[in-house]
Amino acid sequence: MLKRTGLYAESWNVAWRRKAKGSILKDQQTPFVVIPNSFRYWAADPFFFEHNGDTYIFAELYDYVLCHGTLGYCKLQDNKVTKWKKVIQEPYHLSYPCIREYGDSIYIMPESGADKSLYIYKAVDFPDHWEKQKVLRDNVVYGDTTPFLHKDHPWALTYDVKDEYKLLLIDLKNQKEDTLIGDGNPKLQRPAGSLFLADDVLMRPAQICEHDYGEGLVFYQIQFDDDQNYKETEIKRLAPNDLVLSGNLIRDGIHTYNATDNYEVIDIKTRRFNILNFMFRILGKIRR
């Protein structure tokens, strides 16, 4: 096992699989296929998206040259994936490209807390060209905001990084104050992917951050009624070593899970040496 030294930096890999025995809650034996990173990027925060018969994985692509995250995708074809392609870049860090189809349009709501704002991108020529839309919230540092629909009304769950890591409910249709929800451990509440149904039960993946950022996943059964009362009950926890991978990676964490009817995707935190990363980390320290 590699030691934590200045030569080895945190890195992430995305891994996917076909569903074999239901969701990850029941099946920890079917291997996930690890997607190799490129020389310039590592990938994390994956979201599956199916469109016109094609299957995409959108993810954060951490750019070693820019030293912050950008957004991109790869395409799943014949049980293989294409190379990662960057499509959205800002002067600040972006991650968690939560992608949704709403009406006839496709949107991405990224984590943009480095800009102290929350906003969306709209696809103008999917999947390669996107335009930034109106800002939904200003002067906020929201982490991993995850939109969902409840009876055709758009909501979102978010993690207030600026205010003691509180879990908040956002009404995306009405401009009212975001609501504090839940009274659980804030180190077990940061969103880790889209809500999903498992055996007709609505589930929410969240991150375990008790000792380190993104050390594992916790899954909650959630209830959200017509009076906007939110309740969640812990169902299961998963550590990276609970799962089977196609590659022999050092496993320091896992902090995203998403799925379609046919596929599942996760990310694995690891460590590795990359000369490009090392050079630009040194340059960044000199510039400061």
Side-chain angles (χ1 to χ4, degrees), residues 17 19 21-28 196 198 257 264:
R17 70 179 184 184
K19 281 186 177 177
K21 306 171 186 176
S23 75
I24 198 172
L25 295 172
K26 293 183 176 180
D27 178 11
Q28 287 98 55
F196 65 98
Y257 169 79
E264 295 176 294

Side-chain angles (χ1 to χ4, degrees), residues 132-273:
K132 187 187 295 185
Q133 304 295 292
K134 66 177 183 178
V135 174
L136 302 173
R137 297 292 187 274
D138 265 322
N139 195 32
V140 296
V141 184
Y142 284 172
D144 303 332
T145 304
T146 305
F148 66 96
L149 286 177
H150 176 66
K151 295 189 175 180
D152 295 324
H153 189 108
W155 301 88
L157 293 170
T158 196
Y159 195 65
D160 193 343
V161 177
K162 190 171 69 171
D163 189 9
E164 299 179 355
Y165 303 110
K166 294 176 180 177
L167 185 66
L168 301 178
L169 178 68
I170 303 174
D171 187 335
L172 293 174
K173 192 171 184 179
N174 301 309
Q175 289 294 324
K176 62 181 184 179
E177 186 174 353
D178 302 334
T179 307
L180 174 66
I181 56 174
D183 55 0
N185 183 347
K187 293 184 178 180
L188 296 173
Q189 291 188 311
R190 183 168 183 153
S194 297
L195 280 60
F196 65 98
L197 286 174
D199 297 327
D200 296 323
V201 175
L202 188 59
M203 305 294 298
R204 180 177 86 86
Q207 298 183 39
I208 300 174
C209 300
E210 290 182 303
H211 306 101
D212 193 12
Y213 168 67
E215 63 191 88
L217 294 173
V218 56
F219 293 86
Y220 296 100
Q221 177 180 336
I222 72 168
Q223 295 173 306
F224 188 58
D225 63 25
D226 292 341
D227 295 323
Q228 302 166 28
N229 295 312
Y230 180 92
K231 179 182 178 181
E232 59 185 28
T233 304
E234 182 177 330
I235 299 298
K236 191 179 187 68
R237 296 191 188 192
L238 285 175
N241 287 323
D242 293 332
L243 303 173
V244 179
L245 303 179
S246 66
N248 187 23
L249 286 181
I250 296 170
R251 306 183 192 187
D252 280 347
I254 173 175
H255 76 352
T256 309
Y257 169 79
N258 279 292
T260 65
D261 291 339
N262 300 308
Y263 299 102
E264 295 176 294
V265 67
I266 59 172
D267 53 10
I268 297 292
K269 180 165 67 170
T270 184
R271 285 165 279 147
R272 62 168 53 89
F273 174 75

Side-chain angles (χ1 to χ4, degrees), residues 14-16 35 43-50 55-60 71-76 84 95-100 107-111 126 144-147 191-195 205 207 255-260 263-267:
V14 168
W16 68 278
I35 301 175
D45 295 348
F47 285 79
F48 264 120
F49 188 72
E50 295 177 343
T55 302
Y56 301 83
I57 302 174
F58 279 79
E60 171 197 346
L71 305 182
Y73 72 88
C74 65
K75 193 173 180 180
L76 184 60
W84 291 110
S95 59
Y96 202 78
C98 196
I99 182 168
R100 290 286 185 277
Y107 299 93
I108 284 177
M109 181 180 289
E111 177 178 319
F126 184 85
D144 303 332
T145 304
T146 305
S194 297
L195 280 60
Q207 298 183 39
H255 76 352
T256 309
Y257 169 79
N258 279 292
T260 65
Y263 299 102
E264 295 176 294
V265 67
I266 59 172
D267 53 10

Side-chain angles (χ1 to χ4, degrees), residues 268-286:
I268 297 292
K269 180 165 67 170
T270 184
R271 285 165 279 147
R272 62 168 53 89
F273 174 75
N274 178 291
I275 187 63
L276 195 64
N277 176 45
F278 179 72
M279 289 171 54
F280 279 89
R281 283 168 58 204
I282 295 300
L283 284 173
K285 290 179 181 179
I286 293 174

